[in-house]
Amino acid sequence: MAKEYDLVILGGGTGGYVAAIRAAQLGLTTAVVEKGKLGGTCLHKGCIPSKALLRSAEVFSVVKKSEEYGIMTGEVKLDFLKIQERKSKIVDQLYRGVQHLMKQGKIDIYEGIGRILGPSIFSPIPGTISVEMNDGSENEMLLPKNVIIATGSRPRTLPGLEIDGQYVLTSDEALHLEQVPQSIIIVGGGVIGIEWASMLCDFGADVTVLEYADRIIPTEDDDVSNEMKRLLKKKGIKIVTGAKVLPETLTRSETASISAEINGETTEFSAEKILVSVGRAGNVEGIGIENTDINVEKGFITTNSYYQTKESHIYAIGDCIGGLQLAHAASHEGITAVEHIKGENPASIDYSLVSKCIYSSPEAASVGYTEALAKEKGFEVKIGKFPFKAIGKALVYGESDGFVKIIADKATNDILGVHMIGPHVTDMISEAGLARVLDATPWEVAKTIHPHPTLSEAIGEAALAVDGIALHL
Ligand SMILES: Cc1cc2nc3c(=O)[nH]c(=O)nc-3n(C[C@H](O)[C@H](O)[C@H](O)COP(=O)(O)OP(=O)(O)OC[C@H]3O[C@@H](n4cnc5c(N)ncnc54)[C@H](O)[C@@H]3O)c2cc1C
């Protein structure tokens, strides 16, 4: 017998489980089908474990320079297994939290692989879900009025660059390292690559980043990307841009070696390990898309702005539709889809209002247009930039590199983009996000009296700098 639901969600990652909570709040009978663990990539392979490791790396590097703060310590040593243990404890605690939230919402969880069936004896339209249960019990049949596909993504590699888990890793394998490699080549200088580069360098590894584009974190503002490069190089990371990695040159013996073409010349790089971070592919295979009219373009499911696929009762959200591939984007897409199903008339998401964060040391964060994009879109811009070195709290904190940059429209005074690099900017970006949501002008941001001494004063000062009236520069 098929079990009937208002909504079945395929995938219990950040997108899927948050959508389920919202659906339960709105009174929809809801089930989640999850083949792995509730919480998905973000909780088990992404945001949380990587940030736990980054925090240990940060503590390690602060303790090593504790004398600067007048604190004398003995020899500072790493216990990497303990660091991994701490990471797992945090993940477990949050995992239990998600399980509790599912129970609280009376959301049914099916542990198994879900597939969408075409028209069947159960329904004349595609959308019945068959679940191959992880425990080997008989397949469950679920008959939902609506479906949300939230199957997420997996690491990509370069054709020919085979992931072996020993010499060549993705972030999935790197999260389980039992010791810090002496040296590592990171292929790809995007967000994940840069976070790992920063972390492993702080743990003491010799790190080389090979990036194909002409700059690292190429989707960020030029100034931020240049400052990130300068600061990572200052701490010893080697960064090679314009490097086309040649997978066929990979050799594995004592160490791993790979060549890259740089300015027409081939250079060989060797290290204990190679971490490949060249983007993430949508999980769109094996879920029954072929039984529907759903479109897939360049490996991602296409949807309208309410996340409906071509089958209007089947929605898709999160990493499997591409776009920003961020946890908070996935969950808000899920909420929008559920509210649309319920007929709540939700506003569609304006992606220029979604903040993006990089948790390396230094951190970087942004919301809205980069300077280049704003100009490309035809805006005449005015820019305010304020360095952390002129902020008392940054000096107190011991981290005064970086800046806040605000880009505004000369014609309307609207804030078009805010870009930050420096201490705790990932926590500070939400003020800029709110300013964008409320359509604030730099003047209004500056009128928000920022308490002293705080790092957030840099935002107030950058807002004043837009009109050339910064106070402390
Ligand atoms: C190293 C790393 C660090 C990251 N750091 C951040 C960060 O700091 N901040 C941030 O915002 N984002 C970060 N991300 C990205 C973030 O993890 C993703 O954007 C987010 O997890 C997407 O959520 P999702 O629900 O779309 O997919 P996922 O979290 O991938 O969840 C999809 C779920 O679907 C399940 N599934 C797939 N197919 C089926 C099937 N057929 N049947 C049943 N279940 C299925 C999977 O098992 C999985 O649990 C990071 C990613 C990585 C890899």
Side-chain angles (χ1 to χ4, degrees):
M1 250 320 261
K3 292 190 186 149
E4 293 184 14
Y5 288 97
D6 292 325
L7 174 64
V8 171
I9 300 169
L10 215 52
T14 321
Y17 90 72
V18 172
I21 295 172
R22 185 71 187 120
Q25 285 175 346
L26 292 174
L28 301 177
T29 54
T30 304
V32 172
V33 183
E34 171 55 58
K35 68 175 181 182
K37 282 181 159 182
L38 284 173
T41 304
C42 177
L43 180 51
H44 301 283
K45 300 175 182 173
C47 326
I48 299 298
S50 65
K51 267 85 249 181
L53 296 180
L54 275 156
R55 172 69 178 144
S56 288
E58 184 187 11
V59 171
F60 187 49
S61 58
V62 171
V63 175
K64 276 196 295 187
K65 56 180 185 189
S66 68
E67 280 188 27
E68 284 175 25
Y69 299 80
I71 316 282
M72 303 303 149
T73 56
E75 192 192 349
V76 184
K77 283 198 251 165
L78 272 188
D79 181 338
F80 203 64
L81 291 181
K82 260 209 156 121
I83 287 172
Q84 289 285 24
E85 239 175 71
R86 176 178 183 273
K87 174 202 80 178
S88 303
K89 249 171 124 173
I90 295 166
V91 170
D92 285 349
Q93 185 176 341
L94 291 169
Y95 178 44
R96 282 196 302 276
V98 176
Q99 289 172 311
H100 168 75
L101 290 172
M102 296 296 100
K103 270 203 192 110
Q104 186 175 270
K106 299 189 173 39
I107 296 155
D108 288 346
I109 306 296
Y110 292 87
E111 293 179 356
I113 300 173
R115 281 191 197 87
I116 303 172
L117 303 183
S120 64
I121 48 163
F122 302 108
S123 166
I125 54 168
T128 303
I129 306 285
S130 135
V131 188
E132 188 184 327
M133 300 299 286
N134 287 348
D135 63 7
S137 58
E138 197 181 329
N139 282 10
E140 294 277 0
M141 284 295 167
L142 312 180
L143 188 55
K145 291 195 183 91
N146 297 280
V147 176
I148 295 179
I149 304 174
T151 46
S153 64
R154 59 185 184 278
R156 266 206 186 107
T157 184
L158 298 174
L161 193 51
E162 185 206 331
I163 307 300
D164 58 30
Q166 190 192 343
Y167 294 100
V168 187
L169 324 173
T170 68
S171 60
D172 282 3
E173 291 79 28
L175 278 171
H176 301 290
L177 284 170
E178 287 176 3
Q179 56 191 39
V180 178
Q182 283 195 343
S183 56
I184 191 157
I185 296 163
I186 299 187
V187 178
V191 176
I192 293 176
I194 289 306
E195 287 186 353
W196 277 95
S198 166
M199 177 214 300
L200 290 170
C201 170
D202 284 347
F203 278 141
D206 180 52
V207 179
T208 304
V209 176
L210 302 178
E211 166 58 48
Y212 180 71
D214 60 359
R215 60 192 180 97
I216 55 168
I217 47 171
T219 53
E220 294 301 318
D221 190 86
D222 279 46
D223 286 352
V224 169
S225 136
N226 291 337
E227 181 73 345
M228 181 66 86
K229 182 173 179 184
R230 186 181 77 79
L231 295 174
L232 293 183
K233 278 176 109 168
K234 197 164 113 185
K235 64 184 194 180
I237 297 175
K238 293 178 263 315
I239 297 177
V240 187
T241 51
K244 184 180 175 197
V245 168
L246 306 168
E248 66 278 12
T249 62
L250 173 71
T251 59
R252 290 168 261 217
S253 53
E254 287 279 282
T255 57
S257 294
I258 198 155
S259 296
E261 199 182 295
I262 304 151
N263 293 328
E265 290 193 7
T266 303
T267 309
E268 190 184 49
F269 298 87
S270 294
E272 193 182 322
K273 297 198 185 288
I274 297 177
L275 172 63
V276 184
S277 57
V278 292
R280 296 185 59 86
N283 290 331
V284 297
E285 304 86 1
I287 56 173
I289 298 260
E290 63 285 359
N291 301 324
T292 70
D293 280 339
I294 294 173
N295 280 334
V296 174
E297 260 176 44
K298 295 188 180 152
F300 296 107
I301 297 172
T302 54
T303 70
N304 65 15
S305 50
Y306 299 105
Y307 308 104
Q308 284 172 296
T309 65
K310 212 170 160 205
E311 303 273 5
S312 59
H313 62 298
I314 304 181
Y315 292 65
I317 59 156
D319 280 14
C320 67
I321 63 168
L324 289 180
Q325 293 195 312
L326 291 171
H328 45 290
S331 53
H332 281 267
E333 287 163 2
I335 291 167
T336 305
V338 167
E339 291 178 352
H340 192 261
I341 288 168
K342 182 71 183 170
E344 299 262 307
N345 199 18
S348 59
I349 295 175
D350 174 352
Y351 286 92
S352 77
L353 300 178
V354 180
S355 300
K356 299 184 286 174
C357 296
I358 306 174
Y359 298 83
S360 46
S361 166
E363 294 185 350
S366 65
V367 62
Y369 300 153
T370 61
E371 183 180 343
L373 187 61
K375 286 179 177 163
E376 202 181 298
K377 285 186 175 284
F379 290 101
E380 210 183 324
V381 299
K382 50 181 184 173
I383 289 170
K385 204 167 161 188
F386 196 86
F388 280 108
K389 67 172 185 281
I391 295 291
K393 183 69 178 287
L395 299 184
V396 169
Y397 197 71
E399 278 185 40
S400 52
D401 283 316
F403 55 81
V404 173
K405 173 176 175 178
I406 300 182
I407 301 158
D409 178 7
K410 255 191 188 163
T412 62
N413 244 347
D414 285 343
I415 295 175
L416 299 171
V418 180
H419 305 270
M420 308 178 180
I421 178 164
H424 288 284
V425 296
T426 59
D427 291 311
M428 296 206 300
I429 195 65
S430 298
E431 177 184 349
L434 182 64
R436 291 262 305 136
V437 168
L438 298 179
D439 226 354
T441 62
W443 180 83
E444 285 163 323
V445 170
K447 272 286 158 193
T448 309
I449 299 173
H450 291 83
H452 177 75
T454 60
L455 296 168
S456 70
E457 286 174 277
I459 301 176
E461 287 277 13
L464 289 172
V466 170
D467 292 311
I469 49 171
L471 295 167
H472 290 88
L473 201 64

